[in-house]
Amino acid sequence: MLISLLRPFAVLTVLLSVASWAETPVQFTLSADCPPGFELDAGHCELRSLYQLYNSLQGAGMGGPSTGLPEWRDGFTPQQTDLGRFLFFDPVLSRDGSVSCATCHHPDKGFADGRGLSVGIDGHTVTRSAPTLWNVAFLKTLFWDGRATSLEEQAMGPLYSEHEMGGNPALLLETLNGIPAYRSLFAEAFPGDQEITLDEIYTAIAAFQVSLISLNSRYDQYAHGYHEALTEPEIEGMNIFRSFVARCAECHTPPLFTNGQVAVIGTPEPEGMPFDPGAEIPMNEPTQRGGFKIPTLRNIELTAPYMHSGRFDTLRETVAFYTGGRGHAVPEGEELVLHWHIWEPKLTDDELDRLVDFLKTLTDESFKPRTPARLPSGLALVHDNPPVPGAYKDGEKSDE
C-alpha cells in the first residue's frame, strides 16, 4: 500500500527534475566517430576483427583458434550508436526515473549486475539473472528463454515489463518528446523526422548494444598466433575445455564461446525457488522444459553469480556442476530431456582448476564504452540496482 501511495510522487519528481533542467539546458552533441572495433564506411559503422580473416566458420566443429565469426549486425551510424549510449544509461526510460538499462547491465560488472536475481522498478526481485550484453551483435535469439529474435524486440521486454522498467509506449514517447535535448539528438541521428518514434528508440538502443564487442582477450591473442599470451596452466585448461572428455566447446564454441542455442542441462534452482520451465513456454515445446540459452563465456570472470538464476557463486562451483553426473540436480518429479552433451566427464579437481584458469583468459574490456558524464534528461546516473526492502514482493517473473 505504501509503495502504491508513493508512486505518483516518484513520477512527479522525475517530471519536475526534467522541467528544471529544461530551463537551463546543456548542449549535447553526438559523436561522428565509430566506436572502437568499427570502421566508418559510407557513413555507417562496420565491424573489423581479425576473426573475419578466417574461413572456418563457427558451428562447423569444436571451434579451433582460427575459427571465424558467424553473421553479425552492424551498419548503424555513429550518431545512432552514441544516441543509444545516452538512452542506455538514462533512467528517464523507466516509469519513475529510478532504473536504466545500465542498472541491470552495468559496464563495470560485465554488462550484468552482480546479482543472482535482478531487481527492477519498485524494488521487485525477478526470477532470472541479467545476462551479459557483450557480443550480442552475433546472437540470433535473446533472453534466457530465447523468445526474442532481434535486439529491437528484446528492448521492449524490460522497457514495458511492470517489474523491470515499468513503462509503456505512450509514456515513453511523451517523455522523450518532451525533452528538448532528446528531440535535438534524435533529429541528428535520424534526420528528417519531426518527432521521436518508437522505432527510432529501439534502433538507437540496438545500435549501442551492437557496439559492445569483446574479442581481444589474452585467449584471442593466443588464437591469433601469440602463444606467450597464455601460461602453461591456462593452455592446459584450454585443451581440457576443447577435449572430447569435457566437451565444453561443443556448446560454448569459440570464438564467441556460445553456439547461440537453447539447451536443457538440469541446472538446480536456488533453494526455495520453484522450477523455471524456461524455453518450454515461448517455444510451446515440452522437450524444451528447463531449457535456457547457452550463455557466452566472454568476460565470464566478471559476471558472477552464474546460471539463469544465479545458482552458483563461483566459476569453480559452476564447472564442478558438470562432473556431478547426468541429471544429478534435476528436481524430483521433473522428467527433463537433457541435452545429449551432458554426461559424466569425471574431471579431477586439478582439471577443474585448470578450466577456471582458462575461463579467466576470456576477460576483455578494452572496448568498454564511456559512461556519459551527464544525461540529456537531466536525471542523475543510476549506478547500481535499487535496494530490496523486505516489504517488497519477490519472485515476480523476469523479462530476462
Side-chain angles (χ1 to χ4, degrees), residues 303-318:
T303 59
Y306 303 105
M307 301 299 190
H308 67 277
S309 56
R311 177 62 176 81
F312 301 122
D313 291 330
T314 67
L315 282 174
R316 185 59 165 73
E317 289 179 85
T318 306

Side-chain angles (χ1 to χ4, degrees), residues 17-248:
S17 176
V18 172
S20 175
W21 171 89
E23 296 174 359
T24 56
V26 175
Q27 294 298 316
F28 287 87
T29 59
L30 298 176
S31 175
D33 298 322
C34 292
F38 291 78
E39 183 178 56
L40 192 63
D41 186 355
H44 296 84
C45 298
E46 306 290 342
L47 178 67
R48 296 292 182 262
S49 169
L50 287 176
Y51 284 109
Q52 294 168 317
L53 302 177
Y54 303 143
N55 293 324
S56 176
L57 297 179
Q58 178 172 307
M62 292 284 285
S66 297
T67 300
L69 296 166
E71 293 182 357
W72 62 87
R73 286 194 68 180
D74 58 10
F76 298 97
T77 68
Q79 292 80 8
Q80 291 167 350
T81 303
D82 204 29
L83 173 59
R85 181 176 66 97
F86 282 118
L87 292 171
F88 186 86
F89 286 95
D90 202 328
V92 79
L93 270 61
S94 63
R95 186 189 66 233
D96 62 0
S98 65
V99 295
S100 67
C101 303
T103 302
C104 290
H105 300 285
H106 197 297
D108 293 338
K109 299 177 181 178
F111 280 97
D113 61 6
R115 292 179 181 267
L117 304 175
S118 293
V119 177
I121 199 167
D122 294 337
H124 281 286
T125 301
V126 297
T127 59
R128 292 177 187 161
S129 64
T132 181
L133 298 181
W134 283 114
N135 293 337
V136 291
F138 300 95
L139 300 184
K140 301 300 182 288
T141 56
L142 290 306
F143 293 116
W144 276 108
D145 57 16
R147 69 184 181 276
T149 58
S150 71
L151 287 168
E152 290 84 349
E153 181 184 1
Q154 179 272 331
M156 289 185 272
L159 281 173
Y160 305 139
S161 165
E162 62 177 320
H163 300 307
E164 294 195 42
M165 299 180 79
N168 61 68
L171 176 62
L172 183 60
L173 286 176
E174 181 182 2
T175 299
L176 291 181
N177 275 294
I179 301 174
Y182 270 124
R183 289 283 294 271
S184 175
L185 294 177
F186 270 87
E188 188 178 346
F190 300 96
D193 288 350
Q194 299 300 312
E195 290 195 348
I196 298 170
T197 68
L198 290 174
D199 284 343
E200 290 171 348
I201 297 169
Y202 307 148
T203 296
I205 295 174
F208 172 70
Q209 293 186 89
V210 160
S211 74
L212 304 178
I213 300 297
S214 180
L215 293 172
N216 192 33
S217 66
R218 288 194 296 117
Y219 163 80
D220 298 300
Q221 296 167 28
Y222 177 93
H224 297 318
Y226 179 53
H227 286 196
E228 289 73 19
L230 300 185
T231 65
E232 286 302 319
E234 291 165 347
I235 292 173
E236 182 182 347
M238 180 185 68
N239 291 333
I240 296 169
F241 184 91
R242 298 188 61 239
S243 72
F244 285 100
V245 176
R247 306 175 74 169
C248 308

